[in-house]
Amino acid sequence: MRRLEYFVAVAEAGSFSKGAAALHMSQPALSQQVALLEQETGQRLFTRNGRGVEPTDAGLALLVHARGIFELADKARVDMRERQLMPSGRITIGLPPRVAHAMTADLVQRFRGAFPDAAISVAEGLSIRLREWLVAGRLDIAVLFDPPASPLLHMETLVREPLVVMAATPLPARMRLADVADLQLVLPSRPNALRQLLEKESQPKGLALKVVAEVDSIQTVLSLVARGVAATVLPASSLREWTHDTPPFIAAIHAPVIRNRLILAVPKARPATRLSRFVVQLTRELAERHYGQDAQVP
């Protein structure tokens, strides 16, 4: 490409000296580069005349090719700049169901408004599955509840949300974990992150949770609570999912206070792109909007 530029400069200037001046280089260096191009093409590209040089027939043919090549190169540069300003491609984010229910509509709408030429995929699943998919390269970003540490992932705590007891019958304003263990509970089944967090806090204290039903759907758990079948323990923001006429009784858990962590995770080995940086920042904003009132933001 550089030798073609030198060749075109000489052809348009009509002499090596004028071409060298336009290129801000010495005439011998320019002559050497054109000679190397002639060796590469196997053609003599210029003939001398009384005023300087003019292209041979082969030189005229190469001049047409060179100008076409430069035009294509300019189009490529413009295309790359436009893609930088308005990138295309696809990004995939994994969300736990409860988070997906709260954030997906805003996430997709904001993303599409910012990047109309790009696509976003939202995969729902339990945190343990999303973490596996993230490590395996099936996801670009994931939001996880209380994941174990991994040397392969960069993890950022978005919020820390307190767990509360919900029931259809009256509860005290605050309950010790030992008192919670005396309640009949409906909880998600293992390996749900919330279930693991509760058991991690209760087992070292010799407390056995009385789980009378295991249900993974938060909506179904709340329906069972509304019917008085059992109490449950959920993050405080889960109250927003309550759709029944009579509100539940709520008790804060203390001694100890238990908070789950909402984590933003990305693979360390995957380079950040404009799309991924936007989705990461947008996820931070949406987590604050949807969970900030009920949680502690680190």
Side-chain angles (χ1 to χ4, degrees), residues 24-44:
H24 304 289
M25 61 187 301
S26 68
Q27 181 175 337
L30 178 60
S31 299
Q32 182 182 20
Q33 290 298 317
V34 172
L36 291 172
L37 183 61
E38 289 180 327
Q39 292 178 16
E40 186 176 353
T41 60
Q43 301 286 338
R44 187 171 181 80

Side-chain angles (χ1 to χ4, degrees), residues 163 165 173-180 251-258:
L163 303 187
V165 182
R174 303 171 71 204
M175 296 182 67
R176 297 170 60 85
L177 182 58
D179 299 325
V180 176
I253 301 175
H254 73 106
V257 174
I258 305 174

